[in-house]
Amino acid sequence: MAHTTGGAIGASRISAMDAREAARLLKGVRSAALAGDRPPTAPRPEIAESWRRMLAGGVHPDRDTRSRVLSAAETEERRQVSPLRDLLPVLREGLLPSLDEALHIMVVADADGRLLWREGHTSILRKADRLGFAVGADWDEAVVGTNGVGTALVTRRPVQVFSAEHFVSSHHDWTCAGAPVRDPRDGQLLGVIDVSGPLATMHPATLAWVSSVARLAERELRIRHLESLERLRSVAAPLLARQPGRAVAVDGHGWTAAVAGLAPTERIALPKPFGPGRVWVPQLGDCLVEPLPGGWLLSVAQTPAGAQAAAARVVLDLSRPEACLVTVYGASGSWSQELSPRHAELLFLLAESPRGRSAAELAQELFGDPTRTVTVRAEMSRVRRNLAGVLTHRPYRFAQGVEVELIRPGNPAALLPHSTAPAVVGARLGRTDPWGTSGP
């Protein structure tokens, strides 16, 4: 790509022009750069770097290449497991009130560049459909060229792309601004928030607007993380009070909720893989690790190196319809948690099936439809968040070495009375076949 001695064209200069004049200038810059000639002015550095990546990767500048759009089921599965799902109220509050007036749309993409949510002005949504900017589409930079979603994912920074700054010519009638969202617990990239619309509606302040909303979303994640640590602390405190030695309660990312006999530390680096049992933790040494709801209890070992942590025991108490409880017993004591109706159903089915269940089998038992695996996987992901080390997957089941006790109500008809799951209904009637096909 040719270089120029002139200054790069900046967003402020573009904003001073009308849309047609800006588009003409940018197309001239792009055409010269692609031809290896000296452009009238240099592209912005982040755009020039993106164009170099596109040329090296073989993206055609004038061919609208699109990948396979995800099916509705595949999109829903990604939505269910995406941490951005819980941030939609924050994003909508920060962006949607101004989108109709600005003739823009809001797009939320995951870390792979797949568009998971899209909202905004109806007429702009229809135009976006023609561009392939639709839910389930792949807007990775290597697929569709320089754009507010894919380029923000590559650079890990907010980016605004005007008209012919898009590498692929079919996108030149659009402007977009995207900002990445990171998980404050570990810095992992979760996805991108993007605001896009026709070139005529461009404004340089859009990038600052989108970036500020992305920071608000990260702040919301941080608040939720602190709340989860507080819940973990409330469970861990009585266990730590009974500890004879040094111990610490941490969440799944190693953030500390409570300590006993140790100097407070904000975070402990957990080795990978990590799970219950005897584990060497660099900051602490040899530890006995036990699961807690939303985290782990690490007891600095006082026993010989060959000793093993006591096997966990789980009691699933379904005897009282108004409050289904799961209690986990370990070497350091026990903790209990009230279950939602759906999670009570799932744990009941797993307690009845030591060999485990696939997602399709659980879907059949819960809904009478083995294709509803997306819902099952999402719910099991939430259950396992609080029962890490107690439940495993592929297939879903209680972990090896975990003793499970199921307490049913005295009257079989009172088993999860509000459940309509075929397997639970069958159990109330005394069927031994969880698929509900055999008689009593």
Side-chain angles (χ1 to χ4, degrees), residues 58-78:
V59 176
H60 198 290
D62 297 309
R63 187 175 300 152
D64 189 347
T65 303
R66 303 177 188 182
S67 67
R68 182 185 69 85
V69 174
L70 296 176
S71 67
E74 290 171 321
T75 300
E76 183 59 27
E77 185 161 5
R78 288 190 179 231

Side-chain angles (χ1 to χ4, degrees), residues 2-6 28-29 32-33 35-41:
H3 295 276
T4 178
T5 56
V29 171
D37 298 331
R38 184 182 298 277
T41 187

Side-chain angles (χ1 to χ4, degrees), residues 85 117 154-155 177 181 187 189 223 227-228 234 239 250-251 334 340 388 391 403 439:
R85 177 173 177 260
W117 291 277
V154 172
T155 63
V181 178
L189 185 64
I223 291 171
E227 290 172 346
S228 71
S234 67
L239 301 178
V250 299
D251 70 4
S334 64
S340 70
L391 294 175
E403 177 190 347

Side-chain angles (χ1 to χ4, degrees), residues 284-352:
L284 301 174
D286 200 25
C287 294
L288 295 177
V289 179
E290 300 173 66
L292 293 176
W296 304 94
L297 179 63
L298 282 59
S299 303
V300 180
Q302 306 292 322
T303 54
Q308 296 295 318
R313 175 169 170 259
V314 174
V315 176
L316 181 60
D317 187 353
L318 306 182
S319 61
R320 295 181 301 140
E322 68 278 7
C324 296
L325 294 175
V326 61
T327 303
V328 178
Y329 296 84
S332 301
S334 64
W335 53 267
S336 299
Q337 189 171 54
E338 188 169 339
L339 298 168
S340 70
R342 177 69 75 215
H343 293 175
E345 290 173 334
L346 286 166
L347 291 181
F348 167 72
L349 295 175
L350 296 182
E352 289 286 87

Side-chain angles (χ1 to χ4, degrees), residues 10 30 90 129 143 162 182 195 204 211 227-228 308 326 348 416:
R30 173 180 172 276
V90 175
D129 286 338
V143 175
F162 296 96
R182 297 175 181 83
V195 166
S211 298
E227 290 172 346
S228 71
Q308 296 295 318
V326 61
F348 167 72
L416 301 175

